[in-house]
Amino acid sequence: MNRRSFVSLLGGAMAAWPLAAVAQQSTPPLIGYLNSESLEANLSGLTAFRKGLSETGYVEGQNVAIEYRWAEGQADRLPALAADLVQHRVAVIATLANIAAVAAKAATATIPIVFTIGGDPVKIGLVASFNRPGGNITGVSFLSSAVMAKMLEVMHRMVPNIAVIAALVNPDNPQAEADTKDAQEAARLLGLELRVLNARTASEIDAAFAILIQRHVGALLIEGDPLFVSQVKQLVVLTVRHTIPAIYQGRDFPDAGGLMSYGASRTDAMRLAGGYTGRILKGEKPADLPVQQSTKVEMIVNLRTAKTLGIQVPPTLLAQTDEVIE
């Protein structure tokens, strides 16, 4: 190769190198989003997650991309969905619900994970401690213990003349036993009869409602389980069709036409999780980020549904409501 050809080749390579470097640098980081529920049931939570991301400077479609995986309430799909995200070599995995976090942790020990869960991540085995999570995982924990007891109290205030109330739970949920015990104790203290109904699938929800109608149950508590989140429309239709006052832990229920909800604000928790995801993308390590605890609780009442069910919402309860849907 003569000198002129070498100089020409070198000049071409140097000219091409900055373009290649710029192209490589402009490739946005990829987030894996693993959710045990459905997109339809998580629009508000997803908006909150994106807001948290934006607070750290990341906007989907501009400087960050997200690969979504939805289990649609089918917990057995989560391990495969988590493995798929690992194969896509995402920069970080964000999860919603205890079972999704457990599946993500089992799928990778190297990719950072940010969870949003109800309950204690130490007891579940996700982290070593709140202050020092250790490993590749951290996230946000929102209030979940004793919520069913408070839901029963709120429902009793809404319909004080009803003496028999049912609790719909998914027995496969790790929190189901504790939720049931809390509700039973609260019912005992209030002098109410509590009947527990189990459902693991959509068809079992229908079967549980058939039992509920047969036993003339006056009101219903619905556990905050991924199955029930994914079947919110089904639950709303059944409760309204059979004129059963019902309360659920998430705002998705009254937003979809259910009577009311009481529980932790998952949108607040998801916003915090989005912020942690952005911080990890900027280079922080999960092991150095303490688990955050979201303690914001909200009560939402759908007045249109109350009217449909023939319920006059007590003024004292209405005054304590965080949001009213009219």
Side-chain angles (χ1 to χ4, degrees):
M1 181 183 292
N2 60 37
R3 182 176 182 278
R4 178 176 297 176
S5 298
F6 176 77
V7 171
S8 177
L9 180 62
L10 181 63
M14 292 182 68
W17 179 81
L19 294 175
V22 169
Q24 186 175 8
Q25 291 175 358
S26 63
T27 302
L30 182 61
I31 297 170
Y33 186 90
L34 180 64
N35 195 306
S36 60
E37 301 159 3
S38 65
L39 169 60
E40 187 177 45
N42 280 269
L43 295 177
S44 59
L46 189 54
T47 298
F49 179 79
R50 289 170 175 156
K51 181 180 179 182
L53 268 179
S54 69
E55 290 171 355
T56 62
Y58 289 100
V59 178
E60 184 181 11
Q62 295 183 17
N63 60 352
V64 71
I66 304 179
E67 278 282 335
Y68 296 98
R69 298 293 183 270
W70 306 93
E72 306 287 342
Q74 300 176 45
D76 58 344
R77 295 180 57 195
L78 287 167
L81 294 176
D84 186 47
L85 289 176
V86 172
Q87 291 178 358
H88 275 74
R89 298 186 179 183
V90 295
V92 57
I93 298 176
T95 71
L96 176 64
N98 305 30
I99 50 178
V102 170
K105 185 179 182 183
T108 177
T110 55
I111 298 174
I113 299 169
V114 177
F115 58 72
T116 307
I117 68 168
D120 188 337
V122 178
K123 289 183 179 179
I124 298 172
L126 294 175
V127 298
S129 70
F130 276 77
N131 290 333
R132 296 181 181 275
N136 63 319
I137 186 167
T138 188
V140 183
S141 171
F142 56 83
L143 180 68
S144 66
S145 61
V147 171
M148 287 282 279
K150 185 64 177 178
M151 288 167 61
L152 187 142
E153 178 191 329
V154 170
M155 179 53 72
H156 181 54
R157 293 175 61 192
M158 175 70 83
V159 284
N161 295 326
I162 288 177
V164 182
I165 297 179
L168 181 64
V169 302
N170 181 349
D172 291 340
N173 189 316
Q175 190 68 26
E177 185 177 353
D179 284 342
T180 300
K181 286 182 178 179
D182 288 342
Q184 288 173 332
E185 176 61 17
R188 186 186 67 80
L189 293 174
L190 291 170
L192 302 174
E193 181 182 348
L194 181 73
R195 297 180 178 178
V196 179
L197 302 173
N198 294 324
R200 295 180 175 88
T201 65
S203 60
E204 288 186 2
I205 291 175
D206 287 329
F209 268 81
I211 295 172
L212 189 150
I213 301 305
Q214 183 183 18
R215 295 180 179 178
H216 305 289
V217 174
L220 178 66
L221 316 177
I222 305 172
E223 182 189 33
D225 180 82
L227 168 66
F228 303 144
V229 175
S230 65
Q231 299 301 131
V232 158
K233 282 193 173 181
Q234 178 189 10
L235 290 166
V236 168
V237 169
L238 288 168
T239 55
V240 174
R241 177 188 300 163
H242 298 294
T243 61
I244 300 170
I247 184 169
Y248 181 66
Q249 289 186 23
R251 69 166 298 140
D252 310 87
F253 187 66
D255 280 346
L259 177 61
M260 65 187 306
S261 66
Y262 176 89
S265 172
R266 293 206 310 179
T267 55
D268 181 64
M270 289 298 293
R271 180 185 62 80
L272 294 173
Y276 257 13
T277 302
R279 289 174 63 177
I280 289 173
L281 289 177
K282 288 180 178 293
E284 295 190 59
K285 305 297 183 184
D288 299 328
L289 296 173
V291 175
Q292 297 186 77
Q293 297 184 69
S294 174
T295 57
K296 183 178 179 181
V297 177
E298 60 185 8
M299 181 165 59
I300 300 170
V301 173
N302 189 318
L303 285 183
R304 293 197 306 268
T305 303
K307 184 177 180 180
T308 299
L309 297 176
I311 296 172
Q312 182 68 42
V313 182
T316 54
L317 187 62
L318 199 59
Q320 295 176 344
T321 300
D322 297 280
E323 185 177 336
V324 174
I325 300 173
E326 299 188 73

